[in-house]
Amino acid sequence: MPRVSQDHLDARRRQILDGARSCFARHGYEGATVRRLEEATGLSRGAIFHHFRDKESLFLALAEEDALRMAEVVAEQGLVQVMRELLAAPQDIGGEHPVHSLATRLEVTRRLRTDPDFRARWAERSHQLTQATTARLQRQRDAGNLRDDVDVKVLTAFLELVLEGLVSHLAMGLPADDLDPVLDVVEETARRHRNQS
């Protein structure tokens, strides 16, 4: 039997992730049945679960992928930029339709509330965004750009809470075209204000 190349395996894994992302966005975690995952990916259950142990592992891989992409944006441009890119339709930080990444994030939030096993598995993977935000804020503080009267961990928590609020706002389908000035206020809140003479 011929060996399958790593490139082929990587392409198949990407095909599964892309199809599953669309399926989870459309049907939610519970509604993304194996049959629907097969239809969305164009692959059999055997092919899907050859790459991922189970549906939860597949969903976690998507959520982790989103968190890593967001952490990369945070490291370079900050968490407020992640929020700005969530507002920028039709593409989000992953280059996909914003509904897909938003749906993944909402499903993570829901499952964290209702599923202790998922919460334990997600805890192992969820630190990238917080670490990237804290590191970025510390660099900004060291450069003299960030206010120094509030602990960096407090500013990190503040920005993460704003992100969660924005995600909820978007999930409810509320208007988002006037939120850029709100994000300006969020950004300004974290900046150091030098005395003007």
Side-chain angles (χ1 to χ4, degrees):
M1 176 184 265
R3 290 189 61 170
V4 177
S5 74
Q6 188 60 47
D7 287 344
H8 177 78
L9 291 172
D10 291 345
R12 182 60 50 98
R13 187 175 195 278
R14 180 79 262 147
Q15 178 183 353
I16 294 166
L17 287 169
D18 290 345
R21 181 181 299 284
S22 175
C23 187
F24 285 126
R26 185 173 299 115
H27 302 289
Y29 181 82
E30 301 303 331
T33 62
V34 172
R35 173 177 280 179
R36 285 177 170 160
L37 286 168
E38 288 175 321
E39 290 170 3
T41 61
L43 298 170
S44 70
R45 100 183 33 220
I48 295 168
F49 296 119
H50 171 76
H51 291 270
F52 299 94
R53 185 177 69 198
D54 51 26
K55 184 170 85 167
E56 183 169 281
S57 297
L58 175 55
F59 180 77
L60 277 168
L62 287 171
E64 185 176 36
E65 192 174 77
D66 287 350
L68 286 171
R69 276 198 303 258
M70 290 172 75
E72 288 170 6
V73 172
V74 168
E76 290 184 23
Q77 301 171 1
L79 190 56
V80 173
Q81 183 61 29
V82 168
M83 294 182 232
R84 290 187 192 284
E85 292 185 13
L86 277 174
L87 293 179
Q91 295 200 336
D92 69 354
I93 56 175
E96 300 177 32
H97 195 279
V99 171
H100 291 182
S101 289
L102 182 60
T104 302
R105 184 143 184 100
L106 288 171
E107 194 64 34
V108 166
T109 302
R110 185 190 71 76
R111 296 203 61 220
L112 288 173
R113 237 182 27 253
T114 60
D115 186 339
D117 293 333
F118 178 82
R119 188 169 36 242
R121 287 183 73 183
W122 179 244
E124 301 168 13
R125 296 164 165 82
S126 64
H127 300 294
Q128 299 102 329
L129 190 58
T130 298
Q131 289 173 339
T133 301
T134 302
R136 165 91 178 165
L137 290 173
Q138 189 60 58
R139 286 192 305 275
Q140 290 296 309
R141 175 167 286 168
D142 293 346
N145 299 325
L146 189 72
R147 59 189 299 174
D148 56 9
D149 61 328
V150 178
D151 189 272
V152 167
K153 288 183 181 179
V154 173
L155 288 173
T156 299
F158 166 68
L159 292 174
E160 288 180 338
L161 284 171
V162 172
L163 173 62
E164 290 304 321
L166 176 64
V167 168
S168 294
H169 183 93
L170 295 173
M172 290 186 284
L174 297 173
D177 52 350
D178 59 349
L179 292 182
D180 271 321
V182 175
L183 295 182
D184 291 342
V185 171
V186 170
E187 207 163 34
E188 197 61 29
T189 301
R191 283 199 182 118
R192 180 178 183 181
H193 297 281
R194 294 176 172 80
N195 294 333
Q196 295 188 354
S197 42

